[in-house]
């Protein structure tokens, strides 16, 4: 698979997207490059429904039927911890809740991008408190397999995430990636993106 990821700052917050393009063809590679350009829409503060509709239309019109995209996109507000997000056929983001010291997945699954011309996407909202950590990832993380061939899965990833969630964000991502690779064979692209809500940890 080809992947695209980006973060775009704007007044009052940040927009983040992680996308996974099916296949290894030239069409998939060109689409990944195109998505990287479309991610600029987040930096302009475009509403998520408009961003999703734009992506879906582009993918539907410009790629063969076997090429599709899963994605998570979000806008996080720095002033109040509000997060607006949408999941399009992608594994759900995980959140480490600092006060509870536990990890839970966000709700939402959604339609894969590029399959239906008139697809509708649900935009959800959640709230992060100081010290909470949000993790976005590609399915290479949860599809990684141990010596017996069992996938790590969302629960396994959540357990590893909880071990490192209080570390500085770059160390968190590095240690989590190392932990996945240490005990599992990774057979797909692996991307990890973490966002920490500012405040006392």
């Amino acid at each position: 698979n080809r992947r695209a990821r980006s973060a775009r700052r704007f007044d009052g917050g940040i927009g983040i997207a992680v996308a996974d393009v099916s296949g290894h063809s030239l069409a998939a590679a060109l689409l990944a490059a195109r998505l990287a350009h479309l991610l600029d829409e987040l930096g302009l503060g475009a509403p998520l429904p408009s961003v999703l509709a734009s992506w879906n239309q582009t993918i539907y019109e410009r790629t063969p039927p076997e090429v599709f995209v899963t994605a998570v996109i979000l806008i996080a507000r720095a002033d109040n911890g509000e997060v607006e997000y949408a999941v399009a056929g992608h594994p759900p983001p995980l959140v480490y809740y600092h006060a509870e010291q536990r990890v839970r997945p966000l709700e939402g699954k959604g339609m894969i991008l590029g399959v239906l011309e008139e697809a509708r996407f649900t935009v959800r909202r959640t709230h992060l408190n100081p010290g909470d950590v949000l993790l976005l990832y590609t399915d290479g993380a949860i599809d990684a397999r141990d010596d017996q061939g069992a996938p790590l899965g969302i629960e396994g990833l959540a357990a590893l995430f909880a071990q490192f969630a209080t570390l500085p964000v770059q160390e968190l991502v590095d240690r989590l990636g190392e932990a996945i690779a240490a005990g599992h064979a990774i057979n797909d692209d692996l991307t990890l993106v973490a966002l920490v809500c500012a405040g006392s940890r």
Side-chain angles (χ1 to χ4, degrees):
N1 291 10
R2 304 284 181 169
R3 65 191 178 205
R5 63 189 184 277
S6 185
R8 296 289 186 269
R9 293 186 180 277
F10 58 89
D11 289 344
I14 187 170
I16 300 176
V18 172
D20 208 352
V21 183
S22 65
H24 298 274
S25 64
L26 177 59
L30 292 173
L31 178 56
R34 173 65 177 160
L35 285 177
H37 174 69
L38 289 175
L39 292 173
D40 288 335
E41 294 176 302
L42 290 178
L44 299 174
L48 289 191
S50 297
V51 175
L52 287 164
S54 172
W55 287 17
N56 188 70
Q57 192 69 20
T58 296
I59 297 164
Y60 183 84
E61 291 179 350
R62 302 190 183 187
T63 62
E66 66 271 14
V67 175
F68 57 86
V69 176
T70 69
V72 174
I73 63 174
L74 64 85
I75 295 174
R77 305 288 175 180
D79 55 348
N80 59 12
E82 294 298 320
V83 177
E84 186 180 16
Y85 71 97
V87 181
H90 201 84
L94 299 175
V95 179
Y96 172 80
Y97 293 97
H98 179 71
E100 304 173 24
Q101 297 186 3
R102 62 178 295 185
V103 174
R104 295 200 303 266
L106 292 180
E107 295 181 353
K109 188 172 183 180
M111 176 66 69
I112 293 171
L113 293 162
V115 175
L116 298 176
E117 184 174 13
E118 301 296 331
R120 295 179 179 271
F121 302 94
T122 300
V123 175
R124 294 176 167 83
R125 290 172 176 80
T126 190
H127 179 82
L128 299 180
N129 292 307
D132 291 349
V133 188
L134 190 148
L135 179 72
L136 289 76
Y137 54 95
T138 53
D139 57 8
I142 56 176
D143 290 344
R145 296 181 179 273
D146 63 19
D147 292 341
Q148 286 71 49
L152 179 61
I154 293 177
E155 291 185 2
L157 179 61
L160 289 178
F161 176 32
Q163 294 180 30
F164 307 116
T166 58
L167 295 174
V169 65
Q170 187 59 58
E171 186 178 356
L172 183 168
V173 170
D174 292 343
R175 294 281 296 278
L176 180 56
E178 291 167 359
I180 295 170
H184 302 82
I186 300 173
N187 300 312
D188 203 348
D189 289 334
L190 172 61
T191 296
L192 302 169
V193 178
L195 173 69
V196 179
C197 185
S200 175
R201 297 185 65 177

